[in-house]
Structure formats: C-alpha cells, structure tokens
Amino acid sequence: MTPEDRALIMVYTSVKDRLAMGMVEYIEAVKDWEVIPLTESGRVIGGVLQKNNEIHVGYGVKPKVSIRGYIRSILGGVIDKHGFAVTQIREENHAGLRFCERLGFVKLSAQNGTILLRCDRSNYA
C-alpha cells in the first residue's frame, strides 16, 4: 500500500460518519484529486486532498506536534497558483472549523449544514 493510499483511507475514516457513502464510493468520487500524505516520524498520520483550488484535510492519527506549517505550505502553493483556496466543512465540526480559521480561512456562506470557506493572500495566516 502506498503512502497516498494510506492517507486516502485515513481521510475517509475521519469523515465517514458525515458521508452518505462507503469507502469504495468515496475512493471513486475523489479519484481525480491529488492525495498528499501527512507524515510524522516517517509514518502516515493523515492526508490533504487537493483538486484545483479546493483542499480538505483529514487525520487517522492525532499529530503529536502541530503540522499546520506543513499544511500552510500546501495551502500557500494553492493560493500562489489559483489566487485563493476553498474548503467546505460541516457546521457541527467545530474543531475542524477552528482549525480552518487558524489557517486563515473565512466563512463565505452556509447552506444545508455545510459551511463554505475561502482563504486568500489577505487573510492567509
């Protein structure tokens, strides 16, 4: 199994309770997304999914130290290329929302229990 495969499984596991699909359907739905493994001490602990200017972060193992700097470097590359990045998060995911806000994302809208967030150079932390 590749690090990307491990990362994708961990991202799915972190959101499966909020999705109306199984792992096979999820893997099919994100097959054209880039999977960037998040590692700590040489082992995969989660991943970042990226497609164009949209990113999503998920963990299978809680990091022992902050990896915001690593995620910020990925986010900075997205902003450099596209001018801004977007993500979506469920309203009930308060910890995830705080994490996004610490990265510099701001709320654009909320609809049907999902918040759309945007991060650009002006508010990038």
Side-chain angles (χ1 to χ4, degrees), residues 89-94 97 110-115:
I89 195 159
R90 298 294 302 166
E91 287 179 337
E92 67 271 9
N93 186 355
H94 302 290
L97 180 58
Q111 184 175 354
N112 299 325
T114 299
I115 301 169

Side-chain angles (χ1 to χ4, degrees), residues 37-51:
L38 296 173
T39 61
E40 184 175 74
S41 301
R43 87 179 170 149
V44 176
I45 61 166
V48 176
L49 297 182
Q50 179 192 343
K51 182 177 180 183

Side-chain angles (χ1 to χ4, degrees), residues 8-75:
L8 184 57
I9 290 167
M10 288 183 174
V11 171
Y12 170 75
T13 301
S14 74
V15 298
K16 70 181 180 181
D17 294 338
R18 299 184 296 265
L19 297 176
M21 66 178 78
M23 187 182 307
V24 172
E25 294 89 0
Y26 181 77
I27 290 170
E28 178 65 22
V30 299
K31 68 181 178 188
D32 56 345
W33 289 64
E34 181 180 3
V35 179
I36 305 162
L38 296 173
T39 61
E40 184 175 74
S41 301
R43 87 179 170 149
V44 176
I45 61 166
V48 176
L49 297 182
Q50 179 192 343
K51 182 177 180 183
N52 300 318
N53 68 334
E54 186 172 350
I55 68 168
H56 298 279
V57 178
Y59 294 98
V61 177
K62 184 175 176 161
K64 293 178 183 170
V65 298
S66 176
I67 59 172
R68 268 188 301 178
Y70 181 57
I71 294 171
R72 281 188 177 126
S73 71
I74 296 167
L75 180 59

